[in-house]
Amino acid sequence: MPKLLIIYFSRTGGAKQMAKAAFEAAQSEDGTEAILKWAEDAGPDDLLAADGYIFCAPENLAAIAGGMKEFFDRSYYSVLGKIEGRPYAQMICAGSDGENAMKQTARIATGWRLKVAQEPFIICTHAQTTEQILADKTIGEEDLQKCRELGEAMAAGLAMGVF
């Protein structure tokens, strides 16, 4: 049975809600095992054991959040040349933009020679003040549905062998 690994990092809950929505939808797809891991608990062995990936993180200070970047730093060279061709998708939670975090994740995936299975998307919380940025986030139902659709599509694609 193919395995879909969803790795996320979140400090204020937005990216966690997104990852959980994708995970719950992926679990409902027969023929694929979905695995949800917090970036600080994930590593090279998890990447090697999976057949496809969803990376989900917030953008902080116009970059991938530190916890997700640290996961990539710990894992990058250990799996280089060993996961080529596997499909991936990504979701970014941002206060205003998210483009740089999306580009950074795509560059890492390109270095690993992963295949884009679904176009990345950014969910914007519009957090602009210090209080809004540091506050716990609540992702709206419409945006969570996008995350569910991504999880479901990735799991179905792995189960059908289309990637």
Side-chain angles (χ1 to χ4, degrees):
M1 180 180 305
K3 293 180 182 175
L4 173 62
L5 176 62
I6 302 169
I7 299 176
Y8 76 95
F9 182 78
S10 187
R11 285 191 204 283
T12 59
K16 181 178 183 178
Q17 291 167 58
M18 293 166 61
K20 285 181 84 172
F23 171 70
E24 288 165 3
Q27 278 186 309
S28 69
E29 282 297 308
D30 290 335
T32 302
E33 179 184 351
I35 302 156
L36 181 64
K37 284 251 180 170
W38 190 40
E40 292 185 9
D41 294 332
D45 290 342
D46 298 300
L47 289 165
L48 291 169
D51 300 291
Y53 316 101
I54 297 175
F55 302 115
C56 181
E59 180 175 75
N60 294 139
L61 303 172
I64 299 170
M68 191 66 154
K69 174 69 168 61
E70 200 272 332
F71 158 75
F72 286 131
D73 288 344
R74 278 187 290 109
S75 303
Y76 190 83
Y77 292 105
S78 297
V79 302
L80 191 62
K82 298 175 184 173
I83 60 172
E84 292 177 2
R86 295 181 190 180
Y88 87 99
Q90 62 167 308
M91 304 181 292
I92 302 295
C93 186
S96 58
D97 184 50
E99 292 288 326
N100 282 336
M102 186 176 69
K103 288 176 186 175
Q104 286 177 308
T105 301
R107 286 186 61 100
I108 292 163
T110 297
W112 276 337
R113 308 292 190 264
L114 299 178
K115 246 185 337 188
V116 175
Q118 299 282 319
E119 288 302 311
F121 61 86
I122 299 165
I123 292 179
C124 185
T125 65
H126 304 286
Q128 296 300 300
T129 67
T130 300
E131 293 79 17
Q132 292 170 335
I133 291 166
L134 297 175
D136 288 344
K137 305 296 181 288
T138 299
I139 304 301
E141 184 56 36
E142 186 176 316
D143 288 329
L144 289 175
Q145 185 57 34
K146 292 179 193 175
C147 302
R148 288 184 198 101
E149 289 168 3
L150 176 63
E152 187 175 42
M154 287 293 291
L158 285 171
M160 292 186 290
V162 298
F163 299 126

